[in-house]
Amino acid sequence: MSTTNSPCLIAALDYLALGYSPLALCTPDHSNMGDKHRSLCTNPGKAPVTEWKAYQQHQPQETEIQTWFKRYKCANVGIVMGGPARIIGLDIDDESGSKKLLEWSKGNIPQSLAFSTPSGGHRILYQLPINIEIPIKSFSFNGQKESLRILGRGSQTVMPPSQ
């Protein structure tokens, strides 16, 4: 696959144009990732392939994004939460997370960018007002595994059309 035809590169550039801070993420099978990355990565398909914390303060340049996807041709794409775009994500993993979100919001969940995840959950993204930051927070209900997670400042998320 050539870099210019990479769906994730095209998406990353679209996300940049929307004001997000896009990232190149490793491939799910770690192909072309290098021995060091493979030995350290515990989240195939989800981990940034470059240092990414600086992009919590500013967006990457288009040339940086092009370089990442030239080097890692099949990389996934993600975006930084918080940061210049003031984006947070609601990561809803199962039915108990969905029910709790409906309960907390009293059924008033504003429409926004949303997509399903490969694990059967879904994610909803929102933009926060200026000067509001929300940290990462996980919730489990009825002693179950994590059902709902707020992806706030200091996190990143995988975005479509990633594998």
Side-chain angles (χ1 to χ4, degrees), residues 1-7 9-10 69-70 73-74:
M1 175 185 304
S2 76
T3 304
T4 56
N5 294 332
S6 164
L9 168 60
I10 293 166
F69 284 89
K70 183 177 181 183
K73 292 176 177 50
C74 295

Side-chain angles (χ1 to χ4, degrees), residues 38-117:
R38 279 193 296 277
S39 70
L40 297 174
C41 182
T42 58
N43 290 304
K46 299 179 179 182
V49 297
T50 61
E51 177 56 44
W52 66 278
K53 296 291 183 177
Y55 303 114
Q56 292 179 75
Q57 306 304 319
H58 63 84
Q59 288 183 285
Q61 298 295 311
E62 184 174 330
T63 54
E64 290 176 283
I65 296 167
Q66 293 277 0
T67 299
W68 299 335
F69 284 89
K70 183 177 181 183
R71 181 168 183 199
Y72 304 105
K73 292 176 177 50
C74 295
N76 277 341
V77 62
I79 61 170
V80 173
M81 300 284 100
R86 305 182 321 274
I87 299 295
I88 65 159
L90 299 178
D91 184 12
I92 303 140
D93 286 336
D94 58 27
E95 188 64 29
S96 64
S98 293
K99 286 180 180 178
K100 189 56 80 170
L101 181 59
L102 281 170
E103 177 187 319
W104 288 343
S105 68
K106 297 179 174 58
N108 183 20
I109 300 174
Q111 288 190 338
S112 188
L113 176 62
F115 52 94
S116 59
T117 62

